[in-house]
Amino acid sequence: MAVLITGGAGYIGSHTCISLMESGYDVVVIDNLDNSSAEAIRRVEAIVGKPVKFYQEDVRDKSALCKIFTENRIEAVIHFAGLKAVGESAKIPITYYDNNLISTLYLIEVMQQFGVKRLVFSSSATVYGLSKTMPLTEDMPLGAINPYGRTKYFIEEILRDLYASEPDWSIALLRYFNPIGAHESGTIGEDPRGIPNNLMPYIAQVAVGRLPHLNVFGNDYDTVDGTGVRDYIHVVDLAEGHVKAVDWALCHQGCEPFNLGTGKGCSVLQLKDAFEAASGVKIPYVITPRRPGDPDTVYANAEKAKNILGWEAKRDIKQMCEDTWRWQKNNPNGYETK
Ligand code: NAD
Ligand code: UD1
């Protein structure tokens, strides 16, 4: 019996393959490599010392999905595959709706066809929109504010409707906060295409000289030092959260959202300082205007995941920075290096 991982060559998916295999699960990966590299799969195999069954296919290809379910005994699915850049989603919204929604609908239909009803879905804290009340709890109102966020919100709604109509499903909606860090081996990590949109990969690329300086988007927020505060979570903690979610899905029925965060906020300048301390590299920065749509503070209440899944984040900001730096230093150009 195996867990099918859509998007398993990507940043969070590749780390989750390792955590699952180390916990005794077999994994099967489908990824079209639209935003990733087959090298990530090879490195996962090297870390775990076992082969990964990999299909380079698009989740929107139903016949490819059926082939995978026919050739493998899939007992549960983790659905990471999707497009994820907020800014890009406003420029090409239909591409985002097409990829994220159609892939999910086809996946559900094929799961129904093969009687597999255990699903863990990659949602995001972005589904809370611009909530002012912190920390965020799962029962707070939802309201996405951009096309990417709406794909996550719509998929959550589709999955709630599915569960309401077929209560023998088990669906975990994992709302990630800000994943950063890398596997401690330094061989897999985040490898964004083009100029990074997110803070940590941007800092890491400044550190290796690929970018000249960090732009700090605003220092007039109502926060400890005026810069934006987020709940950064180590990607390996996040991966371990997926193992717990699969464990839960295999022995419960329901459709439940879970926040996966640390419950702690860290500002842009605090993260920059922590990275400098971990790497010994100075990160030059300039203060620029706010990025439109950025809230001042976002952090999770992660008690539900602790109480129901038995999961909590263990790794601190220092380790997140050290592990990011090891990955970036060893692979200054990401997976292209080798
Ligand atoms: P990623 O881009 O590294 O991984 C996604 C993977 O899915 C990539 O390998 C890509 O090639 C693949 N993919 C995309 N569309 C596909 C399709 N139609 N068929 C097959 N493969 C396809 O992103 P990630 O950071 O690992 O994120 C994984 C999931 O988590 C995404 O759904 C993302 O929206 C969600 N998420 C990510 C973050 C974050 O900050 N990284 C935060 C919240 C939620
Ligand atoms: C962003 C997405 C969010 C998504 C999340 C995934 C936006 C508006 N939001 O969240 O939907 O779920 O990524 O990780 O894109 N910052 C800088 N300089 C930079 C980059 C970022 O100062 O070059 C600041 C931002 O203003 C913010 C913080 O760093 O205060 C974190 O930004 P980022 O890493 O992009 O994550 P989010 O905006 O929280």
Side-chain angles (χ1 to χ4, degrees):
M1 298 284 257
V3 179
L4 175 63
I5 306 187
T6 78
Y11 173 46
I12 306 171
S14 55
H15 288 83
T16 301
C17 286
I18 293 172
S19 295
L20 281 167
M21 288 197 281
E22 285 176 345
S23 302
Y25 287 101
D26 290 326
V27 303
V28 175
V29 169
I30 174 171
D31 197 305
N32 63 5
L33 303 184
D34 185 62
N35 194 39
S36 52
S37 160
E39 178 64 16
I41 298 288
R42 284 191 282 277
R43 295 189 187 186
V44 166
E45 293 176 328
I47 290 167
V48 184
K50 276 197 246 169
V52 171
K53 197 155 182 191
F54 174 52
Y55 293 83
Q56 187 180 342
E57 301 285 359
D58 196 295
V59 182
R60 290 165 296 175
D61 180 345
K62 236 184 191 179
S63 61
L65 279 179
C66 287
K67 183 171 183 286
I68 293 172
F69 277 81
T70 304
E71 290 180 358
N72 301 278
R73 288 185 64 208
I74 305 295
E75 59 179 334
V77 179
I78 305 181
H79 184 33
F80 290 108
L83 302 176
K84 64 165 186 176
V86 170
E88 184 182 66
S89 79
K91 294 194 184 104
I92 48 169
I94 304 311
T95 303
Y96 271 66
Y97 290 122
D98 179 274
N99 196 342
N100 295 3
L101 295 181
I102 304 287
S103 65
T104 307
L105 290 173
Y106 283 6
L107 179 65
I108 294 167
E109 285 170 18
V110 173
M111 289 175 73
Q112 283 175 318
Q113 192 180 325
F114 285 83
V116 178
K117 300 191 169 189
R118 310 277 167 254
L119 176 63
V120 175
F121 172 63
S122 291
S123 187
S124 167
T126 193
V127 296
Y128 294 111
L130 289 175
S131 172
K132 287 264 171 236
T133 314
M134 295 295 149
L136 293 161
T137 53
E138 289 84 351
D139 54 3
M140 282 182 178
L142 304 181
I145 54 161
N146 52 60
Y148 164 71
R150 273 187 282 278
T151 68
K152 295 296 177 191
Y153 171 67
F154 292 158
I155 293 167
E156 282 203 5
E157 292 285 72
I158 289 167
L159 293 173
R160 281 186 277 271
D161 286 342
L162 171 66
Y163 175 69
S165 65
E166 295 181 32
D168 57 340
W169 275 76
S170 176
I171 303 167
L173 308 168
L174 302 185
R175 296 177 181 161
Y176 314 152
F177 281 69
N178 291 58
I180 60 171
H183 188 263
E184 61 178 9
S185 64
T187 60
I188 64 165
E190 187 168 15
D191 183 18
R193 298 239 161 112
I195 296 180
N197 299 305
N198 297 118
L199 179 61
M200 186 53 129
Y202 204 104
I203 290 176
Q205 292 197 12
V206 172
V208 288
R210 281 173 69 177
L211 294 165
H213 61 261
L214 169 67
N215 297 301
V216 174
F217 298 153
N219 65 350
D220 56 353
Y221 287 105
D222 183 16
T223 62
V224 58
D225 55 20
T227 65
V229 166
R230 296 291 183 272
D231 184 340
Y232 296 97
I233 174 170
H234 197 296
V235 67
V236 176
D237 277 325
L238 197 62
E240 289 169 356
H242 288 75
V243 177
K244 295 289 189 186
V246 170
D247 292 344
W248 174 84
L250 289 175
C251 54
H252 295 84
Q253 291 172 352
C255 179
E256 291 288 341
F258 297 100
N259 287 341
L260 296 189
T262 64
K264 297 186 193 97
C266 173
S267 77
V268 174
L269 292 178
Q270 286 170 338
L271 189 66
K272 176 198 78 69
D273 290 348
F275 191 91
E276 287 181 339
S279 64
V281 178
K282 195 86 194 141
I283 306 295
Y285 71 94
V286 294
I287 306 291
T288 67
R290 292 179 176 200
R291 182 169 65 182
D294 274 1
D296 56 5
T297 300
V298 179
Y299 62 97
N301 175 319
E303 286 299 307
K304 184 176 173 188
K306 184 176 174 183
N307 295 334
I308 297 182
L309 301 180
W311 170 90
E312 66 183 319
K314 298 190 287 247
R315 295 162 178 85
D316 61 10
I317 290 282
K318 180 169 177 277
Q319 188 170 352
M320 297 180 213
C321 291
E322 286 169 354
D323 290 340
T324 301
W325 175 234
R326 192 176 304 107
W327 152 252
Q328 193 71 68
K329 186 177 43 146
N330 294 347
N331 305 271
N333 297 309
Y335 290 111
E336 295 298 310
T337 314
K338 296 275 157 67

